[in-house]
Amino acid sequence: MKTKRPQARQSKQGFTLKKVVGAMALMLGFVIGLFYVCYVYFKDVEVQRAENRIVLYQSTLVEALERYQHLPFILAQDPLLRRGLNGFEIDVVNSRLEDFAFRSRLDAIYLMNTEGLTIAASNYASEQTFLGQNYNFRPYFQDAMDERRGEFFAIGATTSQPGYFIAEAVRDENGNPVGVLALKLDLTPLTEAWRAGGEAVFVANSDGVIVLSSDNSWRYQTLGALTDVRRNAIAAERQFGSEPLAPLDWVNRDNGIVDIDGTAFLHVVTAIPRLGWTLHFLADESRVRERALLVVVFVTIVAFVLLALVGYLRSRRLKVALLASQLARRNLVTVNTKLEEEIAERRATEARLERARSELARAGKLAALGQLAASVTHELGQPISAMRNYLTASEFESDAGAARLAKRLTGIVSRMENITKQLRFFAGPGKENVEEFDLRRVLDGALELVRHDLKHQGIEFEFSKPHKPVVIMGNRQQLEQVLVNLIRNAVSAMETSDVRKLVVEVSKSETTATLKVLDTGIGLGGRSIETLQEPFHTTKPSGEGMGLGLAISTAIVNEHKGTLSVVDFSGVESGTRVGVEFIVELPLAHEREDS
Ligand code: ADP
């Protein structure tokens, strides 16, 4: 049983720990699952939004590129340009082109001859004028000369400013190209607007070079490595000036997410078919994570609040139940205590009853004995006296045989007298002799009676008493009888002892007078005082003792409101101390008066 209990506690603790770990794992699983679901949901929402946004960007870009598509063709119809190409009125052409550029808010409009040499330009007056520059290396010039509309995005060879170029051939009356009219559109305001919108957008050309971007640092970087052939072709067209065209630090993660310079973005792409460009819209992925996290935190807080509420309600219920059980327990304890008290009372009553019963029995025996004693004393008193007188008379006779007989008879008679003396106590209450007296006189009286016997039997004896009187109230003769009885018992007990010593002591305390009789006899052999006090309990041979001495002594002491007790040293190994000590305690006379 003892070893099972800690095991049970251990397994219970283990079970609780497992439950806690299980609950925590479940909660963690729930939180991760919830985060994943929210993440997927908010990503979808964000992708949807990005797709809407990219359509908007696409339309503004296409619109910006489309707006001037037909302008070079229209302007090329102007006969002034043909005259200019033939070397006339160049100044007029210059100012006409300047006027056109100003009105249509174009970067530049310029006219090239068939060699690609710029002969007139809207910026003829500016420091970085295109006048005199040869642009025959540009694809848009070549396309226009081949009777196609030329379109091209490049960094300006003269101004170093990026721009979108559109070119159209200027034809003579026969429709043959005699020159090329080109315009340059500055797309910087568009990208400025993107940047101002706070969103990340860029456009890559067919080579994967970023040509427009809301973030200037990404511009002219490549989405993939360029082949040497393409790199050489770009250099020949001087499309991107001296830009190194380094690859952009980006990783495409396949799940619609790209990392650029270590930042994750949701990535949506759409095509700009006109130039073979691609438009890229980037939405910050951290927004998705933040939203998902926010929902998780909110749900977790709500869950915790609910849990706390449930816990609180549960603990309140438990508390109420506990209080009820405590009350029930208290009631039970009260009932139990009452029951225990009742049991104890019952036991005490039983013990009292038992005591009363035994006292009654003893009193009954003593009462019977009293009657017996009265009759025996009455019956024996007269004949004994007559016998004594008779025997005394016969002692004077000379016959030796008769004398011996007389001696034997005297012995028998004294024994009979002894018996009657003891029985005399029962014959009358003896209350008429009650007086105040000194207990030391009882000692002296008893000593007178037994001194001769003690000396005769060779018993060493020691009597001690205080100097001051020990006054008690009672019957002196009866107490003398008690003391003589105790001394005679002590003498009998020492019959077979090697050391034979008797100590009798009278002493007093504040309220009590004490009488002690100590011997070196054989001891009580384990018998209690109650046993010894039983009438007719004796170890002496028939005729020598009737077992009445202590019964009578107890009755006398009780009548004096005192106690008779005994200490048996025979079983105690304390040096030479053997034998027993009878102790009689009596109230002092003034004490009795007080009470
Ligand atoms: P009795 O002396 O006639 O036997 P008591 O009532 O005086 O009757 O004593 C009863 C018994 O108690 C004695 O027989 C004896 O066995 C025992 N007793 C009394 N006093 C002593 C004592 N001092 N030492 C040992 N035994 C004693």
Side-chain angles (χ1 to χ4, degrees):
M1 278 293 275
K2 270 181 188 169
T3 50
K4 258 186 189 173
R5 226 177 268 160
Q7 263 179 16
R9 201 179 304 144
Q10 260 178 17
S11 75
K12 203 177 168 186
Q13 275 175 359
F15 181 63
T16 317
L17 194 73
K18 262 188 204 165
K19 257 169 87 172
V20 169
V21 170
M24 278 172 74
L26 209 72
M27 259 166 65
L28 197 70
F30 172 75
V31 166
I32 290 171
L34 183 67
F35 179 80
Y36 179 74
V37 169
C38 290
Y39 181 84
V40 169
Y41 172 75
F42 286 119
K43 190 179 154 194
D44 273 0
V45 169
E46 204 61 21
V47 166
Q48 194 69 49
R49 200 183 77 88
E51 274 165 0
N52 291 338
R53 297 295 295 160
I54 204 169
V55 169
L56 199 73
Y57 282 105
Q58 186 188 33
S59 70
T60 55
L61 179 60
V62 168
E63 198 267 330
L65 296 176
E66 291 274 329
R67 196 183 308 155
Y68 299 102
Q69 282 301 319
H70 303 294
L71 193 62
F73 176 76
I74 294 162
L75 293 180
Q77 306 308 315
D78 192 345
L80 188 66
L81 299 187
R82 281 202 290 272
R83 278 209 296 281
L85 284 168
N86 289 330
F88 305 110
E89 298 176 76
I90 290 294
D91 292 343
V92 182
V93 177
N94 272 336
S95 61
R96 169 86 45 100
L97 292 180
E98 186 184 21
D99 192 33
F100 279 160
F102 176 72
R103 283 173 193 277
S104 51
R105 292 197 196 97
L106 283 165
D107 217 20
I109 305 177
Y110 50 106
L111 184 66
M112 291 162 282
N113 65 13
T114 50
E115 303 301 316
L117 183 73
T118 309
I119 57 148
S122 61
N123 56 11
Y124 67 95
S126 83
E127 258 180 46
Q128 289 183 319
T129 180
F130 293 178
L131 276 180
Q133 299 292 333
N134 194 317
Y135 294 115
N136 68 355
F137 57 88
R138 292 292 206 194
Y140 61 84
F141 172 77
Q142 288 152 15
D143 285 345
M145 285 303 287
D146 288 347
E147 302 189 21
R148 291 194 300 269
R149 183 181 303 151
E151 278 180 66
F152 195 54
F153 180 90
I155 294 176
T158 312
T159 60
S160 300
Q161 291 298 316
Y164 173 55
F165 298 86
I166 311 168
E168 198 76 46
V170 181
R171 297 162 201 278
D172 61 11
E173 294 81 8
N174 302 322
N176 296 321
V178 289
V180 171
L181 181 79
L183 60 84
K184 182 183 178 186
L185 174 64
D186 184 8
L187 291 173
T188 319
L190 190 71
T191 53
E192 289 294 336
W194 291 355
R195 191 172 19 260
E199 290 177 318
V201 192
F202 67 81
V203 177
N205 70 4
S206 53
D207 288 324
V209 179
I210 296 173
V211 289
L212 301 170
S213 169
S214 61
D215 187 331
N216 274 341
S217 66
W218 297 344
R219 215 161 49 164
Y220 309 133
Q221 296 199 348
T222 60
L223 298 183
L226 288 172
T227 61
D228 287 346
V229 178
R230 281 308 304 151
R231 201 173 268 279
N232 290 340
I234 289 167
E237 291 164 0
R238 295 202 225 160
Q239 191 179 4
F240 294 108
S242 57
E243 289 294 337
L245 305 181
L248 177 72
D249 176 16
W250 88 322
V251 181
N252 200 339
R253 277 203 239 156
D254 285 346
N255 56 352
I257 292 175
V258 294
D259 294 310
I260 300 178
D261 296 333
T263 309
F265 293 98
L266 293 181
H267 182 216
V268 181
V269 191
T270 190
I272 308 290
R274 166 167 289 286
L275 293 164
W277 286 1
T278 48
L279 176 64
H280 300 250
F281 182 88
L282 302 169
D284 198 345
E285 190 257 358
S286 66
R287 259 170 62 115
V288 176
R289 261 183 293 138
E290 276 165 14
R291 282 178 175 193
L293 213 64
L294 210 70
V295 171
V296 168
V297 168
F298 178 73
V299 170
T300 310
I301 287 172
V302 168
F304 268 108
V305 167
L306 282 177
L307 267 176
L309 202 72
V310 169
Y312 170 72
L313 290 176
R314 212 177 109 92
S315 82
R316 247 184 56 168
R317 249 200 348 262
L318 279 176
K319 213 169 166 183
V320 169
L322 195 74
L323 278 176
S325 93
Q326 273 175 349
L327 198 74
R329 207 174 137 256
R330 264 207 296 276
N331 288 344
L332 215 69
V333 168
T334 315
V335 170
N336 220 11
T337 319
K338 251 188 201 160
L339 216 68
E340 272 169 13
E341 278 170 11
E342 271 172 26
I343 289 170
E345 215 168 278
R346 216 190 140 136
R347 282 203 182 125
T349 312
E350 273 172 9
R352 270 202 307 276
L353 261 173
E354 180 56 38
R355 256 201 319 281
R357 200 190 60 75
S358 61
E359 266 168 25
L360 259 177
R362 198 185 304 155
K365 277 185 194 173
L366 289 174
L369 197 66
Q371 283 176 358
L372 177 75
S375 56
V376 168
T377 311
H378 179 74
E379 292 299 326
L380 287 186
Q382 292 299 325
I384 286 170
S385 306
M387 260 175 88
R388 180 174 276 279
N389 294 337
Y390 173 73
L391 286 168
T392 310
S394 71
E395 263 178 28
F396 296 105
E397 285 174 24
S398 58
D399 186 78
R404 263 200 311 277
L405 172 74
K407 221 168 198 174
R408 269 191 216 125
L409 276 174
T410 309
I412 294 166
V413 167
S414 342
R415 230 183 273 167
M416 284 171 75
E417 200 177 30
N418 204 16
I419 291 166
T420 54
K421 256 190 216 160
Q422 285 195 9
L423 291 176
R424 206 171 295 144
F425 169 73
F426 292 101
K431 273 192 180 148
E432 60 275 15
N433 289 329
V434 170
E435 56 179 345
E436 253 188 23
F437 63 91
D438 188 351
L439 192 59
R440 293 182 302 174
R441 281 175 61 202
V442 171
L443 182 62
D444 297 339
L447 194 59
E448 275 309 309
L449 289 173
V450 296
R451 191 189 296 275
H452 177 76
D453 283 357
L454 293 175
K455 273 192 182 156
H456 183 68
Q457 294 195 35
I459 290 173
E460 185 190 340
F461 61 92
E462 192 182 304
F463 285 1
S464 79
K465 55 187 177 183
H467 297 298
K468 287 185 178 170
V470 182
V471 184
I472 61 162
M473 177 78 104
N475 186 318
R476 192 163 64 87
Q477 282 77 28
Q478 282 185 351
L479 285 174
E480 238 175 59
Q481 191 184 343
V482 169
L483 184 54
V484 168
N485 182 47
L486 291 178
I487 292 171
R488 289 220 164 106
N489 277 347
V491 170
S492 312
M494 289 190 289
E495 245 167 35
T496 54
S497 300
D498 297 335
V499 180
R500 298 205 275 173
K501 184 176 178 183
L502 178 76
V503 179
V504 181
E505 179 195 303
V506 171
S507 63
K508 79 166 182 176
S509 70
E510 228 173 282
T511 55
T512 317
T514 309
L515 189 62
K516 286 180 181 171
V517 180
L518 174 66
D519 64 49
T520 55
I522 52 168
L524 301 178
R527 286 166 296 162
S528 70
I529 181 84
E530 284 81 11
T531 312
L532 304 184
Q533 285 167 341
E534 284 295 325
F536 306 114
H537 173 86
T538 181
T539 51
K540 290 171 191 166
S542 168
E544 277 184 34
M546 286 181 73
L548 286 174
L550 282 176
I552 293 163
S553 299
T554 306
I556 292 169
V557 171
N558 285 350
E559 207 158 81
H560 284 77
K561 302 232 174 346
T563 55
L564 175 68
S565 56
V566 67
V567 183
D568 187 358
F569 296 109
S570 63
V572 182
E573 288 165 33
S574 55
T576 55
R577 286 200 91 173
V578 287
V580 297
E581 184 176 51
F582 278 88
I583 304 158
V584 178
E585 284 178 307
L586 298 161
L588 287 171
H590 61 88
E591 272 300 311
R592 275 189 49 186
E593 272 162 19
D594 290 349
S595 60

